[in-house]
Amino acid sequence: MAKTKELSKDTRNKIVDLHQVGKTESAIGKQLGLKKSTVGAIIRKWKTYKTTDNLPRSGAPRKISPRGVKMITRTVSKNPRTTRGDLVNDLQRAGTKVTKPTISNTLRRQGLKSCSARRVPLLKPVHVQARLKFAREHLDDPDEDWENVIWSDETKIELFGKNSTRRVWRTKNAELHPKNTIPTVKHGGGNIMLWGCFSAKGPGRLIRVKERMNGAMYREILSENLLPSARALKRKRGWVFQHDNDPKHTTRATKEWLRKKHFKVLEWPSQSPDLNPIENLWRELKVRVAQQQPQNITALEEICMEEWAKIPATVCENLVKTYRKRLTSVIDNKGYITKY
């Protein structure tokens, strides 16, 4: 049997108004072009509930009992990588037969949805403590100190690439909880490797690293690009250089080279890409490059250089201005990876 079209709220209210002025159900039906039974139902509802609004419908009973809901919610809270199939089997062993969509709907009502697990650096307890120490020590540093930092990093940009995913059940804003992420270990490779730097004044130099980088090559990159970037960005005397703890950056030879050049280096906690605002610039660059759809490596390199130069200085300035929020976020997250 086909469903009948629901009456609008205005029509229902009009039925009640006509009833209150003394018109019969038949007369109201003729005037509004409705069946007498429909008019009568609206009037009876109004007399009983004093409203013409739709009342909550009971609907079909839930397939999963409240106890079952608690069981599967508890299961995915302990292990977010639990699959719907696992939960179907758990309920079946408890005497409840349900489908995977029913599992999804039930967990969604509990504020949980299936999402791709984020990939984040693997944090050991020593990393967590170092990150907390860094954040607490620098939390009250004035903005001028961060404006005088030159941030640097390497990244890879692929012409074509696929990233494997894994799904987890999580609540809103819990995507970076350790249980909901996939730890990764930083390594080189990729179709094109870039080194770049920036400060609050704008992007510095960006170069392509065409060979496998080692300590000697890294020192050569700094020699040819770091000081020219500092001059172009008009850094004040005593500016600070930031780089991470990649082995190429922390070799004895590199440390000695930096010391002889009188470069002040920011002490950096390992496994902390979220504390480096250049990660946001890499993301900006990759979005811009993807929109250009380069068809070969040569075009990819050219587009990277062009788009890097187009990144507004205001973007860089805002990243540095909000640096204290990164530190606060690390502290609030007890040292674990935060959004960046």
Side-chain angles (χ1 to χ4, degrees):
M1 183 177 176
K3 292 184 178 180
T4 57
K5 187 176 181 180
E6 188 176 78
L7 296 181
S8 68
K9 184 171 177 59
D10 287 342
T11 302
R12 283 176 271 158
N13 288 339
K14 191 174 291 184
I15 291 172
V16 173
D17 291 341
L18 292 172
H19 169 72
Q20 288 181 311
V21 298
K23 289 205 172 187
T24 64
E25 294 177 4
S26 298
I28 295 171
K30 287 180 181 179
Q31 182 175 334
L32 299 179
L34 300 172
K35 292 181 180 179
K36 179 182 175 181
S37 58
T38 301
V39 173
I42 296 297
I43 292 172
R44 286 193 298 275
K45 180 200 285 189
W46 178 78
K47 286 181 176 179
T48 303
Y49 301 104
K50 299 303 178 183
T51 182
T52 60
D53 293 340
N54 287 327
L55 300 174
R57 296 175 173 85
S58 59
R62 301 288 188 199
K63 284 278 188 179
I64 305 176
S65 67
R67 183 178 179 182
V69 172
K70 288 182 180 179
M71 182 185 78
I72 64 174
T73 303
R74 186 168 55 247
T75 299
V76 299
S77 296
K78 290 181 178 178
N79 181 14
R81 293 187 175 89
T82 304
T83 66
R84 292 187 302 173
D86 294 334
L87 297 174
V88 167
N89 293 334
D90 289 347
L91 287 171
Q92 191 164 1
R93 284 191 291 270
T96 303
K97 187 175 181 179
V98 295
T99 62
K100 291 180 180 179
T102 299
I103 294 290
S104 298
N105 294 334
T106 301
L107 290 176
R108 193 174 295 114
R109 285 193 292 270
Q110 302 305 308
L112 296 160
K113 63 177 182 178
S114 179
C115 307
S116 297
R118 296 286 185 92
R119 293 182 177 274
V120 299
L122 176 63
L123 293 183
K124 298 178 181 178
V126 65
H127 298 142
V128 174
Q129 292 305 314
R131 286 163 51 80
L132 278 172
K133 181 174 180 289
F134 178 88
R136 288 165 177 161
E137 287 181 350
H138 293 285
L139 184 62
D140 296 324
D141 289 359
D143 293 342
E144 292 77 12
D145 286 2
W146 299 117
E147 291 172 3
N148 210 32
V149 174
I150 293 182
W151 310 86
S152 73
D153 196 17
E154 298 90 41
T155 193
K156 65 178 180 179
I157 298 186
E158 298 178 347
L159 191 60
F160 307 104
K162 294 182 179 179
N163 294 319
S164 60
T165 60
R166 183 179 293 174
R167 304 193 75 81
V168 294
W169 294 101
R170 63 169 174 81
T171 56
K172 186 179 180 181
N173 297 327
E175 66 270 26
L176 290 173
H177 190 283
K179 293 192 298 183
N180 301 331
T181 59
I182 299 175
T184 63
V185 180
K186 188 174 182 180
H187 61 276
N191 287 333
I192 172 173
M193 178 68 73
L194 302 172
W195 176 90
C197 64
F198 90 101
S199 80
K201 293 292 185 180
R205 288 197 175 184
L206 180 72
I207 65 162
R208 179 184 173 187
V209 182
K210 294 185 178 181
E211 300 176 15
R212 186 178 180 85
M213 187 187 290
N214 55 27
M217 181 182 293
Y218 180 63
R219 292 189 293 277
E220 182 179 345
I221 289 172
L222 295 184
S223 178
E224 295 177 358
N225 297 280
L226 181 55
L227 197 54
S229 292
R231 293 194 189 104
L233 294 169
K234 300 178 180 179
R235 291 298 78 210
K236 297 178 182 178
R237 190 173 181 178
W239 56 269
V240 178
F241 175 55
Q242 179 278 333
H243 62 175
D244 62 25
N245 293 321
D246 186 286
K248 299 182 290 293
H249 305 171
T250 57
T251 62
R252 183 178 300 177
T254 299
K255 287 182 176 179
E256 183 64 17
W257 184 88
L258 290 166
R259 187 188 65 79
K260 287 182 178 179
K261 293 293 183 180
H262 305 289
F263 289 149
K264 186 177 180 180
V265 180
L266 181 64
E267 186 175 349
W268 194 252
S270 297
Q271 302 292 67
S272 300
D274 54 328
L275 284 172
N276 191 348
I278 201 172
E279 294 291 340
N280 298 73
L281 288 193
W282 291 143
R283 188 179 301 116
E284 173 84 11
L285 177 63
K286 290 174 182 179
V287 169
R288 289 168 172 258
V289 170
Q291 290 173 345
Q292 298 289 338
Q293 298 182 341
Q295 298 300 305
N296 53 60
I297 294 298
T298 301
L300 177 62
E301 181 179 356
E302 291 176 356
I303 291 172
C304 283
M305 301 303 168
E306 292 171 1
E307 294 301 327
W308 178 261
K310 292 179 184 177
I311 295 177
T314 52
V315 172
C316 301
E317 182 182 11
N318 289 335
L319 287 174
V320 176
K321 275 186 176 179
T322 57
Y323 195 72
R324 186 176 284 109
K325 291 183 179 179
R326 292 175 186 263
L327 301 176
T328 302
S329 184
V330 168
I331 294 171
D332 291 344
N333 211 35
K334 299 179 181 179
Y336 285 97
I337 296 294
T338 62
K339 292 182 179 179
Y340 61 87

